[in-house]
Amino acid sequence: MNKKKKKLEGTIENYPFVEVKWLDTLADNSWLTIEKAKKLKPAICISKGHKLMQTKELITIFADYSIDAEDKSLTVGNTNTIPGAWVQEVTEIIFTK
């Protein structure tokens, strides 16, 4: 896993804070009847963070960022890339001051 932070352009205001509702694999390693196995559904997951990018194929968000003291560039960490086919809903969250 690459631990190097990614440098971004602009300010944090260029990356909206979003909530992503998405589906993930749900595995069960126990013995199940056919009827119970047919009832299994994917897990519904919620992730929140700043939206780095979104295409038809994927969405990438990041939870952490830092601002360089000298050149004010952004670096991000805790990134999460979710396949677009798994995404159910993306909602922008607007904070008021």
Side-chain angles (χ1 to χ4, degrees):
M1 186 161 57
N2 186 357
K3 298 277 186 183
K4 187 175 181 180
K5 293 181 180 179
K6 300 176 184 179
K7 287 191 177 183
L8 300 181
E9 296 179 3
T11 66
I12 195 61
E13 287 77 25
N14 296 111
Y15 304 93
F17 194 81
V18 296
E19 177 180 276
V20 182
K21 181 179 176 183
W22 56 285
L23 300 177
D24 197 6
T25 300
L26 180 63
D28 188 326
N29 66 351
S30 63
W31 291 99
L32 300 173
T33 65
I34 295 296
E35 292 76 27
K36 286 183 180 178
K38 285 181 177 180
K39 291 180 182 178
L40 292 176
K41 303 282 187 222
I44 299 172
C45 304
I46 304 293
S47 296
K48 294 180 183 176
H50 292 274
K51 182 169 64 171
L52 177 62
M53 62 178 292
Q54 183 174 8
T55 67
K56 185 178 178 182
E57 290 78 31
L58 60 86
I59 184 170
T60 299
I61 62 175
F62 59 91
D64 303 319
Y65 67 93
S66 65
I67 302 170
D68 185 273
E70 292 181 13
D71 68 6
K72 307 296 185 218
S73 64
L74 291 173
T75 55
V76 299
N78 251 341
T79 59
N80 196 356
T81 298
I82 303 164
W86 297 4
V87 174
Q88 301 296 295
E89 186 178 331
V90 178
T91 305
E92 184 172 350
I93 298 172
I94 300 180
F95 298 99
T96 57
K97 294 181 181 181

